[in-house]
Amino acid sequence: MISPHCPELPISKEDQFAAWYETMLEDGEVVDKRYPVKGMPVWRPYGWFLHSSIMELIEKQWTLQGIEKVQFPLCIPEFYLRQEESHIEGFKAECFWTTKGGDKDLDVPLALRPTSETAMYNMFSLWVRSFRDLPLKVHQTCSVYRHETKNTRPLIRVREIPWNEAHTCHATKEDALENLRMAWVGYKRVIEETLGFTGLILTRPDWDRFGGGECSEVMDTIMPCGRVLQTVGAHYLGQKFAKACDIKYLDEKNEFQHVWMTCYGVSTRLLAATLAVHGDDTGFILPPAIARYQVVVVPIIMKKKDSEVVFARCEEIMKDLQEASIRATLD
């Protein structure tokens, strides 16, 4: 579906991908970069619809897998982040900090959520008591904040990152690994079957894995410029966070055991890859499932006297499309 907002671009995607990408996002009314905070563009209605549609597709997969939706606070106390040393090591240089409430200093510095592990897992330690509480599987669609020092680029490298993240606890390592396998099934259904692109699923080397995790798997998608964009991150956490946050359950032998954990997430990079892979020099080409307009009804008036009849018929067609849950617009 070609966006009705985006005229033919004066820049070749093949020859000048970076400039083409930026122009497409602005002319296509996806985001507006003129907001005066670096790395935090404003989402325009058309763009937010596209991103939200992708998140809804992900959420439907998690509903099918019994992963329940939650919403955690934006602010995370500093002492939570410091519970797992290798985890904070990976994020401390990127944290935004809140240290005042009004004119008064806060008792505890608060980080704007860079990721949610320690915030969630301290609550998990209160929720998990028995083997009957497992598996615990939750997800949330929210924004995370990271003070990127590199060049920012809309949807790809930003300081406010809208995303969906899932976090799970299991009684055994085998259950945790099976849960990760099913997460990839869900991601592939959305990415390959609906969004129409794919990538290589790779295991990151130890030096590049998620802080606090034991193994990190990613999907790396090759962009038209030849560079690689990580579009999915899925992590086997083992018991590191369970021990740091004291998440234990009473097993069937009446003995306490630490849980086994996973986490995984996707962000606006899914939309970036979708637009980049399918778009051309005329603008967006969108998968129908996320297109704001799946059908554009165009009145063709041959004679002025026929205009009322033509528009009346167009309105009838619009009504039929809308009743069939097809997103349509009358041009």
Side-chain angles (χ1 to χ4, degrees), residues 105-271:
D105 291 335
L106 298 177
D107 293 337
V108 177
L110 302 175
L112 298 187
R113 175 176 49 221
T115 184
S116 296
E117 281 72 22
T118 54
M120 287 191 172
Y121 300 168
N122 278 279
M123 297 306 297
F124 288 1
S125 70
L126 303 176
W127 297 349
V128 174
R129 285 287 180 264
S130 161
F131 65 90
R132 296 182 180 87
D133 298 321
L134 298 174
L136 172 63
K137 302 190 292 183
V138 301
H139 74 95
Q140 68 175 353
T141 298
C142 61
S143 289
V144 293
Y145 298 82
R146 297 176 188 172
H147 190 262
E148 291 281 2
T149 56
K150 299 178 182 179
N151 290 332
T152 59
R153 177 166 293 176
L155 280 61
I156 293 176
R157 185 177 294 280
V158 290
R159 291 179 172 178
E160 179 178 18
I161 310 166
W163 76 352
N164 175 275
E165 55 178 327
H167 300 262
T168 70
C169 298
H170 305 268
T172 66
K173 177 179 180 179
E174 291 72 23
D175 286 347
L177 293 174
E178 173 61 16
N179 180 76
L180 271 182
R181 186 189 72 81
M182 289 303 300
W184 280 111
V185 169
Y187 283 139
K188 286 183 176 181
R189 282 177 180 162
V190 172
I191 294 169
E192 297 178 351
E193 298 177 20
T194 304
L195 299 182
F197 71 89
T198 189
L200 298 173
I201 297 178
L202 305 171
T203 300
R204 288 285 188 249
D206 289 349
W207 59 265
D208 195 28
R209 71 186 179 200
F210 180 74
E214 291 194 8
C215 179
S216 291
E217 292 182 324
V218 300
M219 176 180 282
D220 280 346
T221 298
I222 300 175
M223 299 288 271
C225 59
R227 293 185 177 182
V228 168
L229 181 67
Q230 180 180 312
T231 46
V232 180
H235 314 289
Y236 170 62
L237 303 179
Q239 293 183 310
K240 287 186 176 181
F241 280 101
K243 292 177 180 178
C245 299
D246 198 31
I247 311 173
K248 295 185 292 189
Y249 71 97
L250 200 61
D251 67 14
E252 294 173 334
K253 297 179 181 178
N254 216 33
E255 297 176 351
F256 281 105
Q257 306 289 344
H258 284 101
V259 300
W260 302 80
M261 306 182 71
T262 74
C263 67
Y264 34 96
V266 291
S267 72
T268 54
R269 288 185 173 191
L270 287 185
L271 177 57

Side-chain angles (χ1 to χ4, degrees), residues 69-136:
K69 192 171 185 178
V70 296
Q71 196 66 44
F72 272 70
L74 169 64
C75 295
I76 301 176
E78 182 182 29
F79 60 84
Y80 269 13
L81 286 179
R82 296 195 179 282
Q83 282 177 300
E84 213 294 322
E85 285 301 323
S86 61
H87 178 65
I88 184 59
E89 194 63 31
F91 288 105
K92 66 181 180 181
E94 299 179 352
C95 284
F96 283 95
W97 291 99
T98 298
T99 58
K100 284 184 176 292
D103 294 330
K104 297 182 179 179
D105 291 335
L106 298 177
D107 293 337
V108 177
L110 302 175
L112 298 187
R113 175 176 49 221
T115 184
S116 296
E117 281 72 22
T118 54
M120 287 191 172
Y121 300 168
N122 278 279
M123 297 306 297
F124 288 1
S125 70
L126 303 176
W127 297 349
V128 174
R129 285 287 180 264
S130 161
F131 65 90
R132 296 182 180 87
D133 298 321
L134 298 174
L136 172 63

